[in-house]
Each structure stands twice: as C-alpha cells, then as structure tokens.
Amino acid sequence: MFNLKSEINKSMQWKRLEKLAKKMRKIEMRDMFAKDDKRAEKYSLKLENMLVDFSKNRIDDKVFKALLSLAKKAKVQNKITDMFEGKKINITENRAVLHVALRNRENTPIYVDGENVMPEINKVLAKIKDFSEAVRLGKFVGYTGKKLTNIVNIGIGGSDLGPKMAVEALKKYMPKEMNCYFISNIDGTACAEVLNKVDPETTLFIVCSKTFTTIETLTNAKTCRKWLIDALGEHATSKHFVAVSTNAKEVEKFGIDVENMFEFWDFVGGRYSMWSAIGLIVAIAVGYDNFEKMLAGANAMDNHFKTADLDKNIPVVLALISIWYNNFFNVRNHVVVPYDQYLTYLPAYLQQLIMESNGKYVDLDNRFIKYQTSPVIFGGAGTDVQHSFFQMLHQGTSFIPCDFIIPAISHNEIGEHHEILLANILAQSEALMMGKTTKEAMEELKAKGLSSEEVNRLKKYKTFKGNRPSNTIIFKKIDPFALGMLVAMYEHKTYVEGVVWNIASFDQMGVELGKQLALRILPELQGNKDDVKHDCSTTALIKLIKGLRK
Ligand code: G6Q
C-alpha cells in the first residue's frame, strides 16, 4: 500500500553529516573567517535587491557539500518540480499545493486534475482589483453613501496572520485616511475593542475563512453584523460585508450574497493564502498596484527556487542550514529578528508557517519519525528584542541560530535613527559569531581599573563564547516587491525542510483537533447539568468556572 523508502536518518548522507558535525563542534567560526577572507563572498547569494549572507554559520565546504548531497538524496529538485506542476503533494488531504499559481505572473498554464487553474485565478484577481479600487476611490461606498475608510478583517490563523503581517509591513503605502483592523480571537475583547473605535457608516468587514465553519470567525462575524444592523438596519449588510472563502454554500447561509464573495481554492493552504483573495485587505490598504508588486516579488523568488541549482538556491540553502543545526547539533529553536518596525508581525506569521507546516511526527510513508522536525520559531523586531531575549542568544547554554532581516534604507529616515539601528544589527551578528574571549574580557576589566581580584571574579561572566550562527538577509528597502520575495523565501525554505524530513507539510491535523475539542465542552459550560465527565482536573475546572460565572 505504501511506497516505503528507507528513512533519511539511516542514509549514508545523514551518517556523513553526523560525523562532520562532531568535527565541526570543535571549530570556531572566528578561525574560519581569519583563514579565509573570501568566506563572506563564497557563502552569500543574491537575488534582485536581496542579499543573503550565510557565512556566519558553522559550515565549511565539506559540510556544505554533504548538506547538498542530503538534499539530492531527498530528491529536493524533483519535489520542487512536483509542487509547481500541481501534483497532489498534500497527500493526507489529496490536494495540489499551488500558492505559487496565485502569483504566476507569466500566466503559464498550471493544471490540477487536467484543468488549467490560471483563468479562475485571474478572474478573482480582476475582481480584487475592481473592488479594491472602488473602495479606495469611494465608488463602492457604505449604505449611507459615506466612503469606507475603516477596513476590518475577520479571520483567524491563515486567514489573519498573513494579511495582518503584510498590512503592517506596508503601512507606509496606506492612505492616511484609512484604518485597518483585525479581529481574530474569539475573546469578546477583540471584537469590542475594534467596534469601539469604528463608525458603522464608514466600516467594511471582510469575513475571511477558507472553510467558513471556523467558530471564532463566524461568532465574530455575527457579532459585527448585529452591531451594524443595530446601527444601520438589515439592508445595510450588503454594503458593509464581503466574504473570502472556498465555501460559497456556507457564505450564503451566513447571509452574504455570493456576488460579494471572493473565491479561493482547496489547492491554497490557509497559511499560504495571503496571495489569494485573503489578501483583499492588503489590496485595499496599499492599492492593487502594490498588491501586484508583492505578487511579483514572490514570483521572482518562485522562479529562482524553481530554476537555481541547489547550491545557489536561497530557500534550499537556508533550509539545509536549518536542518544542519536542528538534526546534527540537536538545536531546538530558531529565532527571526527583523530590524524593521514594520515587520513586527513577521515572527508571528512565520511561527504559523513553519511550525504548523513542519511540526509533525509521522512521515509520508506512514511511520512515526525518530528524528527532530520543526524547531520552535520565535522572534521580534530589533532593537527591542536585544533588550529581552538576546541575553540568551549570547550566553544561553545552547546556541540558537538567528535570521536577521535588514533594510538598508528605512521608510522613515529620520536623523541618525536608521544608522544606529544598522550599527546594532551588524554589531550583534558579529558579536554572536566572534564572542569575547576571557583574555579580552580581562583586558577590558583591567582597563576599567578593577582590582585583579575583581577581574578574576568577573572574567567568566564577561566572557562570550561566540561561535553562534546567523544569517543576514539584506534588502535595499522593504517595499511590496521585497516583502513578496521575503515571504516566498520562507515558504519555500519550509517546504524543503519538510521534503528532507519526509513529512506532510501542508496539512494541520493539530489545528483541526483544536476546532473540535471546544465543541464538546461548550454545552457543558453553558448548560445547567453538573454531570460532566472528563478527567478529574478538567471536571473540577469546569465546575469552578461555572461557579465563578454565576
Ligand atoms: C492554516 C490553518 C489554519 C486556518 C485557520 C482558519 O493553514 O489551516 O490556521 O487558516 O484555522 O481557518 P478558516 O480559514 O477555514 O477559517
């Protein structure tokens, strides 16, 4: 029944990497840099206005070659082709995975079940263009004739994190009169706080849900609809509510005219959907032209990913480096630090993208996996996070690989702000790699005039072992094109990791479990019966909460 292949961790290529990792543990990056002044050049890749410097990693030519052999063993190149050709690589849901088709600017045919998906995609893109322009120009107005300047996205997970991240990333392109809000959490506070701020006459709600059955989204949408009807009456909804979904039936059932629905398809996973109509709020916020530029940036990365040799392929190289630490150094975390305030939500977006895709323990051949898959992803905007978790990056007991993302030019070049920001990031990645030897620490302490007793007492605390890896990803500026490239780069990196780990990166059984679980407890919390039957902790908690809410 299953086409069983041998597990990747039993391969010759894996064993070779294990051996190399043992050796590499004893090698200092600072020594490799001292020996080779071409290292940065050798271990950097460029695409358009983007440069990825991966030289501050614990790799040498042998390791790099061995990682590439692992990728070949896992047939990465073939798997890339399979995705672009619309093969049903989402095997647990029997679906093609074609977020790349959404930004296929060449418009070459892509077939799913013998049907070219491009005409449908282009039709919806044209609808997004028309609608977003009509809202921006005040041609599509609210029920009382006022311009819609408050745009509220109601959605959760993949129907929230992508558009929210992109709207924030491109805020500078938004007209001043426009405000975008995101309601995702079922916590009534999320709804209440937005509704307190907006005026029903000028508010457009976009209900985003691939399935249109997600309880959080539907509950939030119902609350917002009631609020609107209370203010403007029943007939106002068609001027203030649109939907984005794959499920026309449920959209209609909810009471949104399918005319006001923007479609997408099963071959677009939730967390890969910001390029589809799920990005409608992005197109309204920054204009369709900019939305298209974002698609073009992603498309440039797609073309690179599809055609570049593995050793020159940015997503492939980043994935292999991540696998190197994850599986051969037993490192369990990965940190992403954008040095751009507008990319504040990027780490949260990547947490879903990476951990939901690759946080799996069953392989594609239906076996429990015996090696580590997704690392824990965390991060935040620099320099803020330098003043929180960076301590652990520098002196924690194990190292955490970092991605630093930097725009050379800020959207807000005020005084010397951006130069100070840039100096910080460069200093950090250098310090993580170089560290500070005990000798250097002692010299510094002596220079401050400390007694030799004090110097000896403090020297270890002031020592930084260094040898801590990072990738530096530089753009000229984070414009829509750059954002598209950046996000697509991480999407493909995630896919390559999943290919090497031989896992189903495109399902999300754990998220679905969460959607079912609460449904059993909800009636127990709401009802009067006391005979709830769970484990004794859950039963007691239910009783306690019911008592507190009386
Ligand atoms: C994404 C996941 C998940 C999903 C949300 C919302 O890949 O499947 O985060 O996006 O659960 O689902 P709906 O869009 O169907 O409401």
Side-chain angles (χ1 to χ4, degrees), residues 93 154-161 208-218 244-246 264 268-273 278 352 356-357 506-508 511-512 515:
E93 296 175 319
I154 306 174
I156 196 163
S159 300
D160 166 68
L161 290 162
C208 287
S209 176
K210 181 173 170 181
T211 54
F212 230 78
T213 55
T214 307
I215 192 162
E216 290 97 327
T217 301
L218 292 188
V244 181
S245 187
T246 57
F264 70 114
V268 180
R271 57 195 172 277
Y272 297 87
S273 65
I278 292 288
Q352 183 195 24
E356 197 172 302
S357 297
F506 298 103
D507 64 18
Q508 53 284 314
V511 174
E512 278 149 35
K515 291 187 183 185

Side-chain angles (χ1 to χ4, degrees), residues 33-316:
F33 270 98
K35 277 188 206 135
D36 180 5
D37 61 5
K38 295 265 183 309
R39 185 174 166 88
E41 204 181 303
K42 184 163 76 179
Y43 293 141
S44 286
L45 291 168
K46 207 173 169 307
L47 180 66
E48 306 274 347
N49 263 334
M50 172 196 200
L51 178 114
V52 178
D53 176 346
F54 59 97
S55 63
K56 291 190 185 81
N57 278 294
R58 297 171 70 167
I59 57 168
D60 59 13
D61 290 350
K62 278 188 193 153
V63 171
F64 194 50
K65 223 174 117 197
L67 285 168
L68 291 165
S69 303
L70 185 74
K72 282 181 196 137
K73 170 74 185 164
K75 300 201 166 54
V76 165
Q77 198 85 65
N78 299 355
K79 299 290 171 95
I80 295 174
T81 310
D82 287 351
M83 176 165 77
F84 281 90
E85 286 183 352
K87 294 237 172 83
K88 298 207 172 168
I89 57 172
N90 177 353
I91 62 150
T92 49
E93 296 175 319
N94 194 29
R95 290 174 185 167
V97 175
L98 280 176
H99 42 282
V100 292
L102 302 169
R103 60 231 188 178
N104 171 18
R105 308 313 292 159
E106 294 83 13
N107 200 23
T108 42
I110 299 180
Y111 295 94
V112 175
D113 294 327
E115 206 175 310
N116 180 11
V117 296
M118 290 315 297
E120 276 300 305
I121 288 174
N122 292 332
K123 213 165 89 189
V124 177
L125 280 176
K127 192 168 170 179
I128 296 174
K129 178 175 192 289
D130 290 349
F131 185 73
S132 59
E133 282 173 358
V135 172
R136 284 169 70 86
L137 294 171
K139 290 185 179 159
F140 184 99
V141 290
Y143 186 60
T144 57
K146 288 198 180 159
K147 198 168 173 185
L148 296 163
T149 50
N150 294 310
I151 318 296
V152 181
N153 193 87
I154 306 174
I156 196 163
S159 300
D160 166 68
L161 290 162
K164 182 173 165 185
M165 178 273 294
V167 165
E168 187 66 21
L170 303 177
K171 211 177 194 171
K172 196 68 184 179
Y173 298 80
M174 241 166 91
K176 284 220 165 61
E177 58 168 4
M178 192 173 285
N179 290 302
C180 290
Y181 302 92
F182 291 83
I183 302 178
S184 53
N185 202 334
I186 187 61
D187 186 336
T189 303
C191 240
E193 280 300 324
V194 172
L195 297 181
N196 279 342
K197 285 193 198 106
V198 296
D199 171 0
E201 289 185 270
T202 55
T203 302
L204 174 71
F205 294 95
I206 307 175
V207 188
C208 287
S209 176
K210 181 173 170 181
T211 54
F212 230 78
T213 55
T214 307
I215 192 162
E216 290 97 327
T217 301
L218 292 188
T219 309
N220 281 324
K222 275 181 205 151
T223 301
C224 292
R225 188 175 57 185
K226 183 175 179 309
W227 171 86
L228 184 93
I229 292 174
D230 287 348
L232 302 179
E234 187 83 38
H235 296 297
T237 48
S238 65
K239 290 287 176 196
H240 294 267
F241 269 83
V242 297
V244 181
S245 187
T246 57
N247 192 344
K249 232 165 93 192
E250 288 297 324
V251 168
E252 252 190 315
K253 221 162 99 190
F254 179 83
I256 295 179
D257 194 334
V258 275
E259 277 293 297
N260 282 348
M261 170 180 155
F262 295 77
E263 199 192 351
F264 70 114
W265 310 271
D266 270 353
F267 56 74
V268 180
R271 57 195 172 277
Y272 297 87
S273 65
M274 59 179 260
W275 325 94
S276 72
I278 292 288
L280 180 61
I281 190 167
V282 185
I284 297 174
V286 305
Y288 186 78
D289 283 1
N290 284 319
F291 181 71
E292 256 191 341
K293 282 182 193 152
M294 187 179 82
L295 299 185
N299 181 235
M301 184 55 73
D302 295 344
N303 288 335
H304 164 79
F305 182 53
K306 196 163 61 171
T307 56
D309 291 340
L310 296 184
D311 62 332
K312 301 267 180 302
N313 197 313
I314 295 170
V316 172

